[in-house]
Amino acid sequence: MIKCIFLSEFDNAQGPIISFQVPDNFISKEIFDAIHNFIITKSELQGRLITVTAFGHTFMGCPVYIDDHKYKRNALIFNVTFTFDEDSNPMHYGPVVRKLADYMTQLENESSFLSNPETRDKIPSFLKKVMESLNSFGSCHINDVGSCGVDLKLLYNASEPIVIENHHVPVLNVPKEIILKYQLDLTTSQIIPYLDGVSHVFKIASEADVELELVKACLQNWVYYKLVQIVPIFQYSNLYTVTVDINKLMEDSHLQQECLKYVTKSERHLPALRDVFMMYCAFTPGTTVKDICTRQTNPHSLHIDERKLIQFGVMKGLLRRIHKYPVTMEGETLSQRVLPFCHLLDGTHNFDQICCETGLSHNELEDKLEGEEGIVILKK
């Protein structure tokens, strides 16, 4: 995700300065003064993509020199710089940063977009549109800034698209309100009201009255462009365990704030980081969500929404779901109550999948499997 975009220029009186940035005051003057030699560079580096990591951020820009006698000192020197978290890998933004530098150069040459006081007022809203559109959709189209339209699109390395299953739960990475501002196809328009972070794919297709394969294709595309993440179905009987990445929660202040805002029961009362961290650490392979919520302090009294806590943990890699896989032992005889779905008891279908296929709840499935000597349940 882009954290900030700022336009820096060489001011004839002050030297290198940040002229505009979104959000405001994200990059302090002290930070910029420490790195400006890499942002407003010598003319030999014009048009070169420059990436700098410092002060917990990664900065990516493409410095531009426009030589013309109409400018003081016969040149306009500027750089539109993207800012990311330090531990991110933003290299796929390189072509976008270069292309935006080219657009800004063209806008300046054709309509003095940067140097004309009347058009400079549009720069903050322009940068905001670029950042919001790229973060939300991986692309942007802006045609109200001057003589040329601005079209930018992120290109990711081609990879095998994720297979969307009936039991998967899609969670939006961006607010619905942002998506609804854009022109949507019919399938997207029908399913987006049902993306609540709780309903699984099969339920979404049924409630939206859309063919299941169309919903899967739409969600597969959204996952590829990082608009949606996939999480397991939430059940109080679920098992989770922490991953090695749980340490990041105590080391990364940005992740901490993001976590507390996400898992809170009320925006007016954020939970304590210690309580959130302790609750995550309580997840062990043999402990269910219900165990944690009943044996320890009630999460609600700590201003913690346990469902959101787990959802955030899975999305950020702090928690890993432990699935149950029923397996029929070779040569064993099964009772009539499990024969209708015995083909699913092969060790490759977990409880979530079986429940979606059969319409059974987790408790009903466990009741049917209980006492079956020919079935073992693997947890992994």
Side-chain angles (χ1 to χ4, degrees), residues 105-151:
T105 303
Q106 183 178 349
L107 287 168
E108 173 60 23
N109 286 332
E110 295 182 358
S111 60
S112 300
F113 182 64
L114 298 174
S115 58
N116 186 339
E118 294 181 4
T119 54
R120 280 176 69 85
D121 292 341
K122 298 181 180 180
I123 293 176
S125 61
F126 169 73
L127 296 179
K128 184 178 181 181
K129 287 179 182 178
V130 170
M131 187 173 79
E132 288 183 347
S133 296
L134 289 177
N135 279 342
S136 299
F137 304 103
S139 63
C140 75
H141 174 71
I142 303 172
N143 57 11
D144 59 350
V145 292
S147 57
C148 65
V150 175
D151 287 284

Side-chain angles (χ1 to χ4, degrees), residues 13 85 88 102 118 129 195 222 231 241 244 270 362 378-379:
D85 284 336
S88 62
D102 290 340
E118 294 181 4
K129 287 179 182 178
L195 301 182
W222 284 19
V231 300
T241 186
V244 294
L270 294 183
H362 273 228
L378 305 178
K379 297 177 182 178

Side-chain angles (χ1 to χ4, degrees), residues 37-270:
N37 287 334
F38 303 97
I39 307 298
I40 301 298
T41 64
K42 296 181 179 180
S43 58
E44 291 82 1
L45 294 176
Q46 176 186 359
R48 302 288 185 90
L49 191 67
I50 298 176
T51 303
V52 180
T53 299
F55 303 102
H57 303 292
T58 295
F59 304 91
M60 181 182 290
C62 184
V64 176
Y65 279 62
I66 301 179
D67 294 314
D68 196 305
H69 67 274
K70 69 180 181 180
Y71 302 115
K72 292 181 179 180
R73 299 195 182 185
N74 299 319
L76 176 66
I77 306 170
F78 69 91
N79 193 343
V80 181
T81 305
F82 287 37
T83 307
F84 308 89
D85 284 336
E86 182 179 31
D87 58 356
S88 62
N89 180 15
M91 295 314 296
H92 55 287
Y93 279 89
V96 172
V97 173
R98 286 180 182 274
K99 193 172 183 181
L100 183 57
D102 290 340
Y103 275 127
M104 298 295 277
T105 303
Q106 183 178 349
L107 287 168
E108 173 60 23
N109 286 332
E110 295 182 358
S111 60
S112 300
F113 182 64
L114 298 174
S115 58
N116 186 339
E118 294 181 4
T119 54
R120 280 176 69 85
D121 292 341
K122 298 181 180 180
I123 293 176
S125 61
F126 169 73
L127 296 179
K128 184 178 181 181
K129 287 179 182 178
V130 170
M131 187 173 79
E132 288 183 347
S133 296
L134 289 177
N135 279 342
S136 299
F137 304 103
S139 63
C140 75
H141 174 71
I142 303 172
N143 57 11
D144 59 350
V145 292
S147 57
C148 65
V150 175
D151 287 284
L152 302 169
K153 186 175 181 65
L154 283 172
L155 297 177
Y156 299 94
N157 293 331
S159 57
E160 193 68 24
I162 183 175
V163 177
I164 304 297
E165 303 285 0
N166 293 355
H167 62 282
H168 282 165
V169 176
V171 179
L172 285 169
N173 286 332
V174 294
K176 287 183 183 178
E177 298 76 38
I178 293 179
I179 296 178
L180 290 172
K181 289 194 302 184
Y182 294 81
Q183 187 173 0
L184 305 175
D185 60 77
L186 181 60
T187 301
T188 302
S189 300
Q190 285 183 259
I191 70 174
I192 197 168
Y194 301 96
L195 301 182
D196 55 7
V198 177
S199 302
H200 52 68
V201 173
F202 188 83
K203 183 179 180 181
I204 291 170
S206 175
E207 293 186 346
D209 194 22
V210 178
E211 186 180 340
L212 182 60
E213 293 306 315
L214 286 177
V215 174
K216 289 182 178 181
C218 179
L219 291 174
Q220 187 179 57
N221 191 49
W222 284 19
V223 170
Y224 182 79
Y225 287 105
K226 305 186 185 303
L227 296 178
V228 160
Q229 279 185 264
I230 297 298
V231 300
I233 297 172
F234 176 81
Q235 302 270 356
Y236 282 96
S237 58
N238 284 0
L239 299 172
Y240 298 87
T241 186
V242 292
T243 70
V244 294
D245 286 342
I246 190 64
N247 293 323
K248 292 182 179 179
L249 190 59
M250 299 307 294
E251 299 167 353
D252 188 334
S253 59
H254 293 290
L255 182 63
Q256 292 170 7
Q257 291 304 310
E258 186 181 0
C259 176
L260 296 181
K261 290 178 181 178
Y262 194 96
V263 308
T264 183
K265 286 287 294 181
S266 169
E267 293 182 0
R268 291 182 293 179
H269 300 285
L270 294 183

Side-chain angles (χ1 to χ4, degrees), residues 257 340 348 350:
Q257 291 304 310
T348 64
N350 61 48

Side-chain angles (χ1 to χ4, degrees), residues 214-362:
L214 286 177
V215 174
K216 289 182 178 181
C218 179
L219 291 174
Q220 187 179 57
N221 191 49
W222 284 19
V223 170
Y224 182 79
Y225 287 105
K226 305 186 185 303
L227 296 178
V228 160
Q229 279 185 264
I230 297 298
V231 300
I233 297 172
F234 176 81
Q235 302 270 356
Y236 282 96
S237 58
N238 284 0
L239 299 172
Y240 298 87
T241 186
V242 292
T243 70
V244 294
D245 286 342
I246 190 64
N247 293 323
K248 292 182 179 179
L249 190 59
M250 299 307 294
E251 299 167 353
D252 188 334
S253 59
H254 293 290
L255 182 63
Q256 292 170 7
Q257 291 304 310
E258 186 181 0
C259 176
L260 296 181
K261 290 178 181 178
Y262 194 96
V263 308
T264 183
K265 286 287 294 181
S266 169
E267 293 182 0
R268 291 182 293 179
H269 300 285
L270 294 183
L273 177 62
R274 179 185 180 277
D275 294 332
V276 172
F277 186 76
M278 292 296 291
M279 192 166 177
Y280 273 133
C281 292
F283 286 99
T284 58
T287 307
T288 65
V289 178
K290 182 179 179 180
D291 292 336
I292 292 173
C293 292
T294 55
R295 293 177 188 173
Q296 301 188 11
T297 305
N298 182 356
H300 293 189
S301 68
L302 302 175
H303 309 296
I304 296 174
D305 184 320
E306 62 272 19
R307 182 183 64 80
K308 290 184 177 179
L309 178 96
I310 291 170
Q311 191 173 88
F312 184 87
V314 172
M315 291 167 63
K316 296 298 182 179
L318 310 179
L319 288 180
R320 178 177 66 83
R321 170 78 183 277
I322 297 177
H323 284 284
K324 300 178 187 177
Y325 293 84
V327 184
T328 303
M329 303 299 289
E330 188 174 352
E332 295 290 340
T333 302
L334 302 178
S335 66
Q336 288 293 325
R337 59 183 179 181
V338 299
L339 284 179
F341 56 90
C342 64
H343 61 288
L344 299 174
L345 310 179
D346 57 0
T348 64
H349 296 82
N350 61 48
F351 266 44
D352 287 354
Q353 292 171 293
I354 296 170
C355 288
C356 267
E357 290 284 337
T358 62
L360 297 171
S361 69
H362 273 228

